[in-house]
Amino acid sequence: MAYFDLDEILATSQKVTCKADENFSEEILTLLGQGRTHDSSEHRRRQKETKVEIPFWLLEALMAKNSQFATIELPRSYKSAFRQVLEADPVTVDMNRIGPYFYLFGCKLASLSPPERAQLATSLVQTFMGRVSWVMSRAQHSKNDQRPNTLDKFECRLYDVSVASEADFSNWMENGRSAEVGRRSGSKRKFSQMTH
Amino acid sequence: MNALECEFLAENVLLDIVPNFTDDVVHLICGDVGPFEASMVARVPAWLALYLKRRHKCRIVPPDWLTVNGIQEMINTETTQEPFSGVPAHFMELAHLLLRECSDDVPDSDQLKTLVHDMWDSRVAKMRTSTVKFLQSGEQRAELNNLTQMEITYARTSLRAATNHVNVLQANARDSR
């Protein structure tokens, strides 16, 4: 993934809830605008156990430096209960609602070794495999339908390329180029017609 | 690559024509064609055949597989066996070109149009099921024989996007073990 990849930037801007561990430094909270002005020792102690919401990109950088920094809590749509829903019927889940970067963000989460990391990563593969045929056949039979709005961003892209190749083919079937050339009674092809 | 480019490539296939003029050998970049003698069969590339046809200079002899029986047999083998059956190169492109441009030279052209479409549909359906089977199997590679250029073009972008994504997710699953 590239540094300036927009998808990645958007995916990693989602917030993750995590429990502050021993080494959690309070400056982070100030940075995030969640800090308190007063600073009593009691408050400090309480702070250690509180849950904090940190954007993923920041958490990733902090964890890279010190993995003891915090304990991640998986977002709801990646938890075991939701994984079972996905396993039971991957097609009906509204990916756009639970996070438009479901797969990408899932991979990112797994890279931070949260609890149930292996199950999370396997579930992503299974979910996509369970959905891929549905996405592709929806695209091939789309005609003028709108794109279903329950797709993850990547699935949208897959849907769009499938629709494009379907359209290219049916366009050729209905009015191929040589039909047009033929109407002009066998005039020579122009190079520009071949390269568009 | 798109459907029009497939058609362009298919036009290099040699076809038999029956010219209604007499002429010497014509030297072309793709090789010499002719000599032409009125009502004697000559073998020329499809693009030239279609060009002459448009100027009413010849009659095109349709390839021997482009008959109602021929296509029906192809559909039968296609639907009864699991692997793709071998079809003539540029099957769809040529059938479509000939049925569109010189339907008067092809007997039963209306019925053929429907049959060619049925043939395409059954192959595309087969391709879709095998694609899904391949993606779900988690295999790294698969071999598909007897696909034509048009079918590959048709499936390429979506298949590539899907397999790439499966790869990314599987690599992630491997790393997370």
Side-chain angles (χ1 to χ4, degrees):
Chain A
M1 301 272 173
Y3 185 73
F4 286 116
D5 184 7
L6 273 184
D7 288 335
E8 186 151 342
I9 293 173
L10 287 171
T12 53
S13 67
Q14 293 180 65
K15 286 184 176 167
V16 187
T17 312
C18 56
K19 214 159 73 210
D21 274 356
E22 285 301 298
N23 300 313
F24 194 86
S25 74
E26 213 158 306
E27 285 82 30
I28 305 293
L29 287 182
T30 325
L31 267 177
L32 288 168
Q34 297 171 11
R36 317 272 158 82
T37 38
H38 61 283
D39 191 11
S40 66
S41 61
E42 188 204 354
H43 173 239
R44 206 175 249 274
R45 202 169 52 247
R46 209 152 25 86
Q47 197 89 73
K48 299 288 182 211
E49 272 117 53
T50 39
K51 288 183 176 174
V52 222
E53 279 201 334
I54 306 183
F56 182 88
W57 57 268
L58 182 58
L59 186 64
E60 189 183 30
L62 293 168
M63 297 276 281
K65 213 164 170 226
N66 180 2
S67 57
Q68 297 299 303
F69 170 77
T71 318
I72 306 176
E73 208 170 274
L74 283 180
R76 202 183 69 84
S77 46
Y78 296 94
K79 276 194 179 140
S80 148
F82 201 82
R83 284 206 302 272
Q84 279 169 13
V85 176
L86 283 172
E87 206 177 312
D89 193 359
V91 170
T92 46
V93 175
D94 185 347
M95 289 284 179
N96 190 38
R97 194 175 51 79
I98 62 173
Y101 293 98
F102 180 79
Y103 301 106
L104 182 54
F105 191 49
C107 288
K108 290 269 154 196
L109 277 175
S111 71
L112 283 193
S113 24
E116 306 172 32
R117 175 189 191 206
Q119 292 94 312
L120 166 63
T122 329
S123 143
L124 290 177
V125 185
Q126 296 304 332
T127 308
F128 180 66
M129 285 179 178
R131 285 169 67 91
V132 66
S133 67
W134 174 73
V135 174
M136 284 166 85
S137 67
R138 270 300 287 265
Q140 271 158 355
H141 298 125
S142 67
K143 298 295 169 213
N144 294 320
D145 286 5
Q146 278 231 307
R147 188 167 63 201
N149 52 10
T150 59
L151 300 183
D152 159 79
K153 281 279 184 258
F154 172 76
E155 291 169 344
C156 288
R157 219 163 296 154
L158 177 61
Y159 182 91
D160 288 347
V161 296
S162 308
V163 166
S165 69
E166 177 68 35
D168 175 55
F169 178 75
S170 47
N171 189 35
W172 172 74
M173 280 298 280
E174 276 150 36
N175 36 22
R177 179 197 53 222
S178 41
E180 170 199 331
V181 176
R183 240 173 278 126
R184 289 189 276 114
S185 69
S187 60
K188 273 188 193 149
R189 275 178 194 175
K190 296 226 172 64
F191 184 65
S192 62
Q193 285 177 325
M194 289 170 6
T195 49
H196 64 74
Chain B
M1 184 125 176
N2 60 28
L4 279 180
E5 284 159 344
C6 289
E7 182 191 282
F8 180 76
L9 291 176
E11 287 180 356
N12 281 329
V13 173
L14 296 177
L15 290 178
D16 284 340
I17 60 164
V18 181
N20 57 12
F21 62 96
T22 307
D23 205 350
D24 290 339
V25 176
V26 183
H27 303 286
L28 298 172
I29 297 176
C30 59
D32 298 349
V33 292
F36 300 99
E37 199 175 321
S39 61
M40 291 293 280
V41 172
R43 218 166 163 68
V44 299
W47 61 265
L48 184 61
L50 292 168
Y51 173 77
L52 292 172
K53 172 74 191 167
R54 282 177 207 131
R55 317 195 109 197
H56 309 289
K57 294 280 189 200
C58 75
R59 183 170 65 79
I60 295 181
V61 181
D64 43 9
W65 49 264
L66 194 62
T67 57
V68 173
N69 279 339
I71 306 272
Q72 239 151 17
E73 210 164 287
M74 276 190 214
I75 297 180
N76 274 344
T77 26
E78 194 62 61
T79 42
T80 45
Q81 64 178 35
E82 201 186 330
F84 286 96
S85 57
V87 292
H90 300 294
F91 159 80
M92 190 63 195
E93 299 91 311
L94 274 181
H96 184 62
L97 269 175
L98 292 178
L99 290 171
R100 191 180 58 205
E101 304 266 328
C102 54
S103 50
D104 49 332
D105 288 347
V106 188
D108 311 312
S109 59
D110 284 337
Q111 202 184 344
L112 273 174
K113 265 180 202 163
T114 333
L115 283 174
V116 166
H117 222 105
D118 288 351
M119 177 73 183
W120 169 263
D121 284 344
S122 64
R123 282 177 74 91
V124 165
K126 194 181 265 189
M127 191 153 61
R128 193 175 309 138
T129 43
S130 56
T131 303
V132 170
K133 216 189 273 174
F134 164 65
L135 288 175
Q136 288 177 340
S137 71
E139 295 291 334
Q140 296 295 307
R141 57 183 286 280
E143 205 174 301
L144 272 182
N145 290 326
N146 294 332
L147 281 181
T148 64
Q149 182 109 52
M150 184 63 93
E151 288 153 355
I152 295 171
T153 305
Y154 179 74
R156 180 182 284 126
T157 44
S158 51
L159 184 56
R160 195 169 50 188
T163 41
N164 272 346
H165 199 232
V166 169
N167 253 350
V168 169
L169 294 178
Q170 266 170 350
N172 177 58
R174 266 196 305 279
D175 294 345
S176 304
R177 248 167 233 154

